[in-house]
Structures are given as structure tokens and as C-alpha cells.
Amino acid sequence: MWKTIKGWLGYGPGRVRSKDYAEIPEDERLAIIEQSSIQVSRGVFYSTIIIITSFLPVFLLTGQEGKLFHPLAWTKTFILLVDAVLVVTLAPVMLSLFMKGRFKDDHANPINRFLERVYEPVIRWVMRWRKTTIGINLLALAVSVPMLMSLGSEFMPPLDEQSILFMPVTLPDVSNAEAKRILQVQDKLIKSVPEVDEVLGKAGRASTATDNSPISMIETIIMLKPKDQWREGITKKDLINELDAKLQIPGVVNGWTQPIINRINMLSTGIRTDVGIKVHGQSLDSIYAVSEQVKAALNGVPGVKDLYVEPVTGGKYLTIDVNREALGRYGLSVDDVNGVVESAIGGSPIGQTIEGRRRFSINVRLAQDYRNSVERIRRIPIATAAFGTVPLSAVATVKFEDGPPMITSDNALLRGAVMFNVRDRDLGGTVQEAIAKVNRELTLPNGYFLEWSGQYENLIRGQRTLLLIAPIVLVVIFLSLYLAFGSAREAFLSLITIPFALIGGAYMVYFYGVNLSVAVAVGFIALFGIAVETGVVMVIYLNDAMKQLVARRGNSRDTISREELREYVINGAAKRLRPKIMTVSVALFGLVPVLWAAGVGSDVMLPIVLPMIGGVLTSSTHILLVTPLIFLMTKEYELRKFGKLDVLDASH
């Protein structure tokens, strides 16, 4: 703003600066503020709209990623909407109230003097070595693309929940006593690790219809001590590897995850591990055979851990087949036998007990000692009218049979699953290699097919949404820039900063070793809006310099030399350095502290912030150096081709 006031006071390029302060009338002061507000506010307004538009892909995310990032997008959008209104309403009023008295020259600020002293020689070097400058930028951009392509991919960066969920699976026909023994042994081994604070294990299912866990699935929540009490140099990954080595029990397949993400996975996809291959078909035996083939193909794939097949066979069922001929000899009916079996094994209700507002059924059945084996069940007595008491084996065949421990179906199709977690490698690369190996080694029977689910299903959904909407967002941003400048050339000049913002973001993500994820994509989305905003500010000031040049020298190639054109472009870039540096600094000062953040949630915030920090640095470098160069080359072309400059209205 003060730059514009100085221009009105005669501090423009080539003018002599007065050492004395000039008093201006109140009307003229308000007119200067009004003109300056008009010059900047339209560009800032459209920059705000562009940033809001760039967040459109975040609004279109669904599922887990949508629920996570929608609050961020809505909060930022509402703040920017209010900001856009205040820029054109409140800001000019506040300027008129506080911009009074005497103003110091920009050179009175030592920071500003230092920045201009450094920047001006650099921009002059750029103007002289044009091909070298553009070549360096294009080379950096070309290098960043394969760097991004070489990164791994995952759905979301893993959130450290400060706890571990141990989910081993044993044989489906394990007894209650054996499951209890395994649980107690595991809990003692886990508690022996110094970093473990508390251990709570559970076998079987809770008394609710929403928990379908069989008795063979054990869940143990491991609460860890604060990290300052851990052994030197040990990490959570090291703890899991140490615990996994301690808990190698025959007949038990270990599984490691975290409590919250495990529940989210089970509710959203039905898979309790990172990745699951659902095997759909018509026969449980064939599904199990195919699942074993898939497991064999996945053995040896780097990154695949805790691999096991969800048991669809191996359950034990007590079958009681009634002999109708024997029933006729003893004068019994099927209902008589069923009633005895139900009351003796399952229990029959005989009444209720009331405790306050709660009611409990009273069931009666045989004691454990009289029903804990097949032989004892065969001796359960049945009363007859003519023959006294006869054993159950006289009228029925009692035996154990194999069957499915639990029948699972998706979309009316029987379903089995091969499950595994991904550790020491990115999820996307692991699954891609696994898919290629399974497709190469496995031939499915007719009517059977595989479906890759779990976190990989969420990853594919998020990628498809972002790839579909990204081109639309770029078109909307370009149209917003066109409305801001009224020129397709100037709009393209501002939009070209986006790929160069990609350079720093790619370098930061690559050297920090972060995998590409929805969080990284959201960081790049936010970066593109910031980069375009800074580019808009630069183009506004460059056009303002052109307007000053035309006002002083006329709009003709006969009156404007290439040297004068270059000097005015340098002046528009260098003498307006402070607002551009401030725009970049505000973004950096707000983001850099996240790099040093620690604790729960910091591992999710880091992938969002990294591309924004790196991209702001490279995009600002591009805007400060390359944008004036391209602008100068464009104006030189206009003079050479048309004989005059295409000067935009400075009231942007």
C-alpha cells in the first residue's frame, strides 16, 4: 500500500525522491487508499476464491478419508470466505483510519534493504542468462517427477495410538480351557517386556450381536509406558518385532495392529488387518482351497506380515440324528427327544428373578460333568410311558461332525478371506506386487473371484476421486485467474507456478521418506492455492510497473527501449519485494513448527505439511525469479510483434 502512495508522491522509477515529507490533503489521501485498495483487493479476492476452489477434491472425498479431512476443508473455507469479504469491505476502512502521519521509506527498514540488495543482482543475472534459468527450472521439475513416482503409496499415514492390539488366531475347534490357557501365557510373555505398562486380553465374543468373534480369536490390548521410559534407541516397530518373536506358539498365527484403526477397518471393510483378499464362490470347501492357494502365492512377498487364511472349515458340530423307527418302538415323538436335548444341554427357562428394574431368566440344565463328552451325552436319560427310562443313544445317533466355524457372506455370495498386515514397506507397492504374483500363479475355478479389500480398497477409492476432480479444479482455477486479470496470458502466467511448486513438495516428501497418501495429496492441494495466490500478487505489481512505463514513455516500440522495459520489470519485481516475502513468510511461519511437533497426531500432520513447506519455498523462488523473466519475454514479444504493450487495467 505504501508503495502505491510513494508512486503518487513521485517516488516512481526514474523520479527524484524528495528528502522532505510531503503533506497531502485528506481527500487526496483517501483517494490514494481507495485506488490502492482497488488495485490489490480484486487480486486478493480472486486468490481467496482460488484457494477455496483448490480444496474441492477434499470435499469430494468419501469414507474414512472424507470424515477425517472434511472438517479441515470446511474450517479453511469459512475462514477464507470471511477473509474475502473483509478484504473488500473492512480493510480499506481500517487503512483510512490508521494510515496517517508520516511514513518512513522502505529503505529505512534494514531487512528490506538487505532483501533488495540480495535480490536485485540475482534478478539481473536471471534477465541476462535467460535460457540457463529456464533450463535449471525445467531440469528441477523433470527430476521431481521420477522422484514422486518412486515413492511408495499408502491410504493414510499410520497414526501412533500409543498402544498395540495383539490379535492372534488359533484353531477353530479350540476349547474354552485351551483358549484361556493360551491367553494367560501370552499375557505373561507380553508383560515381561519392559516397555509394556498394562495388558488386557479377551478370548471369544462379547455379549452383543455386533461382535462376531469366535472363541479362537484372541484380542489383547497392550498399553505402553511413556517413551521417555523406553530402552535407549528402541522404537515401536522394534517392540512389535520383539513381542512377535516371544509369542511364537504352535497352532497360533500372530496379528499386530492398533485398537482404533482395527475397529475402523472392521466396520468399513469387514477386514481386521491392513489388507484382505476376499474369495467369493459357491462352496466353502472350494473357497478354502482357493484361499490356501492365495496364501501360498503371497508367501515371500516383501512387506507381507501376519499372513493367515480365515478359517471356513474345521469347526466341530455335535450332531444328534433321531432314529424314527426306535422312537416308534418306545412310543416317543421327535419333540420328546428335542425337548430333553434342549433342557439337558442348552437349558430350559423355569422362571425369572427380579433385581430392581432388571429381570434375569432362570435356566436349568445338566451339570457340566454329565454333558462334557459324547459318551455322557449318549447316556442322557429319556423317560418313556411303557419302557421306563432309556438312554439317548437308544433313539438317536450322537456324534461330532466337521463344519464351518462361521459362515460369512457378501452380497449373497459365500466369502472367505486371506488376511495380512503390511510392515517395513509401503502398502501400495506391497499390494501391487502381491496382485501381480497372485494373477501369475493362480487359476480360479469358474464362478469364483477375488476382491482386494481393507486399507487398499480405501487407497484406490481416494486415488480415483483425486484423479477425477484434479483436472476440473485446474480449469476452475484458470477461469478464476482469467476473471481476475481479464487476460488468458496473465492467467496462464500465474497458473504456471503450480508445477514449479511441485518441485519443492516432491523433494521434501522424498527426503523425509514419506509415502504418498491422501494426507500428502491434501498437502499438495493446499500448496497449489498458496502458490497461485503469491503468483497473482507478483503479476499485479508487474502490470502496475507496465502501466507506469506507458504513462511515462507512451505505448510504442519507438519510445520504449528493451533496456527501459527490463528496468521497469525489475523495478516491479524488486521494489515490490516486501509484500511477496510477507505472503510467503506467513505461510512458512505457520507451517514450520509442525516439523518439530511430537506426540499423538504429529505423524499424520507431517505428511500434510511437508509438501506445503517445500512447495512454498520453490514456488516463491520461481515467482521471484522466473515469473518476471517470462513476463519480460512476453512483453518483448508484444513490442516486437504488435508494436505496443498489452497493458492491463491496474485496478485489478
Side-chain angles (χ1 to χ4, degrees), residues 5-142:
I5 294 177
K6 289 198 302 179
W8 278 68
L9 293 177
Y11 293 168
R15 298 182 182 180
V16 179
R17 181 184 301 169
S18 173
K19 295 182 180 179
D20 299 325
Y21 293 101
E23 295 288 342
I24 57 175
E26 180 68 13
D27 293 341
E28 185 177 354
R29 184 182 72 88
L30 294 178
I32 295 172
I33 292 175
E34 179 184 355
Q35 179 66 22
S36 302
S37 299
I38 293 173
Q39 177 189 7
V40 177
S41 61
R42 186 176 179 187
V44 175
F45 177 83
Y46 277 104
S47 297
T48 305
I49 299 301
I50 289 167
I51 295 176
I52 294 173
T53 304
S54 68
F55 266 82
L56 184 59
V58 182
F59 288 111
L60 297 180
L61 292 174
T62 58
Q64 179 185 342
E65 65 274 21
K67 294 182 183 298
L68 183 63
F69 289 113
H70 281 173
L72 168 66
W74 281 114
T75 303
K76 190 175 182 70
T77 297
F78 284 127
I79 291 174
L80 290 173
L81 285 174
V82 173
D83 173 67
V85 174
L86 295 179
V87 163
V88 298
T89 56
L90 181 62
V93 176
M94 299 299 292
L95 290 174
S96 66
L97 293 176
F98 292 103
M99 290 196 70
K100 297 179 179 179
R102 295 186 172 188
F103 296 97
K104 291 184 178 180
D105 184 76
D106 279 355
H107 287 274
N109 188 323
I111 298 177
N112 203 63
R113 289 200 307 270
F114 171 76
L115 291 175
E116 288 191 12
R117 190 178 301 118
V118 172
Y119 176 67
E120 192 163 340
V122 175
I123 190 66
R124 290 186 182 278
W125 184 92
V126 166
M127 297 296 183
R128 187 167 60 253
W129 298 93
R130 303 182 180 189
K131 293 181 180 180
T132 303
T133 301
I134 295 176
I136 292 174
N137 277 264
L138 293 177
L139 179 62
L141 180 60

Side-chain angles (χ1 to χ4, degrees), residues 629-640:
L629 173 59
I630 297 176
F631 186 87
L632 174 62
M633 295 170 65
T634 303
K635 295 306 177 183
E636 289 178 347
Y637 171 78
E638 291 175 1
L639 278 180
R640 186 171 60 253

Side-chain angles (χ1 to χ4, degrees), residues 290-304:
V290 172
S291 300
E292 286 292 339
Q293 295 176 25
V294 173
K295 178 184 176 183
L298 293 177
N299 273 322
V301 175
V304 173

